[in-house]
Amino acid sequence: MTSDVSKNATENRKWSRADIPDQSGRVVVVTGANTGLGYHTAAVLAFRGAHVVLAVRSPEKGNAALARIVAAKPQADITLQELDLSSLDSVRAAAEALRSTYPRIDLLINNAGVMWTPRQTTKDGFEMQFGTNHLGHFALTGLLLDRLIPVRGSRVVTVSSLGHRIRAAIHFDDLQWERGYDRVAAYGQSKLANLLFTYELQRRLAADPDAATIAVAAHPGGSNTELARHLPRMVRPLSNLLAPVLFQSAEMGALPTLRAATDPSVAGGQYYGPDGFLEQRGHPKLVQSSLASHDEELQRRLWAVSEELTGVHFPV
């Protein structure tokens, strides 16, 4: 009864950074942590005492982010790991480096991403958004998961988007968009894939009696970050006009991820997003993803294809 009352009290007020428990002793890996949502996620966790690894594509930008965090809190325990999610070789090298350094990992936060890019391919020939947002994180998670599985309270948090509802489907007949490219639909595919991956991973973890890890997802709503740099020119004036209504700061946008990563009441397979109008902005709360994201057959099929494309097989 006391637990239920406490949970209801939490849901009836605005969850904020002040609710994050002490993170001392925890090892956290955050992808795309040099800017935007990833930076604020990493910074807050470092401020709360975690040892945070900034997993970033650009060491130069990563070092700048690290310096900003240390300047704000000189005792912050923070390191850098080079990681290019658009290259499976880089993912494997980063995973090997992390495995050799950390016998345990408490939090893996799959945050990095690209949005609405012009037609490009990764170093392995995958469509850039699907390859970076989904396949890169799928491979990284699989290669690190045995460092999380025995750790009580460990979590894999994957950042999706409201875009998982917009013209989103998994195009198994043309996953790499070789027959015609639609940047918005390709982004939707990658963000839907993030959720399908999370739910399938959670089901596998729940079925493993030795796994202490849960898989959770979050989305930032409309956040003012560099992710929107590929916004089509014709849309930019309207976006700027609606920005005060639809967009919030990256600091606020990071809160759903932080809640998914740290709130003791979070359960595996849950999804967190802003509590405001159309989930565009506000404080984090438990939200619902699309019906397609809960299709178990779709989850299993994408998992099998992802294993085949990356060559990574999970220990669950």
Side-chain angles (χ1 to χ4, degrees), residues 28 30 32-36 38-44 46-47 50-56 58-82 102:
V28 181
V30 184
N34 60 287
T35 188
Y39 170 79
H40 288 287
T41 299
V44 170
F47 296 160
H51 172 78
V52 179
V53 181
L54 308 180
V56 299
S58 166
E60 181 181 0
K61 292 180 179 179
N63 277 314
L66 187 152
R68 285 176 61 196
I69 294 171
V70 172
K73 186 171 185 178
Q75 64 269 41
D77 186 6
I78 193 161
T79 60
L80 200 66
Q81 173 59 54
E82 187 171 356
Y102 304 104

Side-chain angles (χ1 to χ4, degrees), residues 285-305:
K285 71 170 185 176
L286 187 63
V287 296
Q288 296 298 318
S289 59
S290 67
L291 287 176
S293 70
H294 291 285
D295 185 327
E296 293 187 8
E297 182 179 351
L298 194 58
Q299 293 164 11
R300 294 189 182 97
R301 187 178 178 189
L302 177 64
W303 187 282
V305 169

Side-chain angles (χ1 to χ4, degrees), residues 85-213:
L85 288 160
S86 69
S87 164
L88 289 177
D89 284 344
S90 177
V91 171
R92 291 181 184 278
E96 185 57 35
L98 291 167
R99 291 173 59 82
S100 66
T101 305
Y102 304 104
R104 58 171 281 165
I105 296 173
D106 295 81
L107 284 175
L108 172 60
I109 300 181
N110 294 323
N111 162 82
V114 293
M115 183 179 80
W116 293 4
T117 59
R119 178 73 169 91
Q120 302 173 54
T121 58
T122 69
K123 294 177 176 63
D124 303 284
F126 306 132
E127 185 276 316
M128 183 61 74
Q129 297 183 90
F130 184 68
T132 301
N133 299 350
H134 170 60
L135 292 175
H137 281 127
F138 179 92
L140 181 67
T141 303
L143 293 167
L144 294 179
L145 194 60
D146 66 349
R147 291 294 191 263
L148 290 104
I149 282 177
V151 181
R152 186 173 181 179
S154 58
R155 300 179 186 182
V156 176
V157 180
T158 301
V159 179
S160 183
S161 164
L162 288 169
H164 89 275
R165 297 179 179 274
I166 302 173
R167 298 168 64 186
I170 307 298
H171 299 268
F172 289 107
D173 60 338
D174 189 19
L175 280 173
Q176 313 310 334
W177 296 85
E178 294 169 327
R179 296 202 298 264
Y181 182 62
D182 181 323
R183 66 173 72 187
V184 175
Y187 180 68
Q189 173 178 260
S190 73
K191 294 287 102 179
L192 174 58
N194 288 153
L195 287 164
L196 294 166
F197 162 63
T198 296
Y199 298 148
E200 177 64 16
L201 176 58
Q202 173 56 31
R203 183 164 49 250
R204 289 169 179 251
L205 289 166
D208 186 339
D210 297 323
T213 308

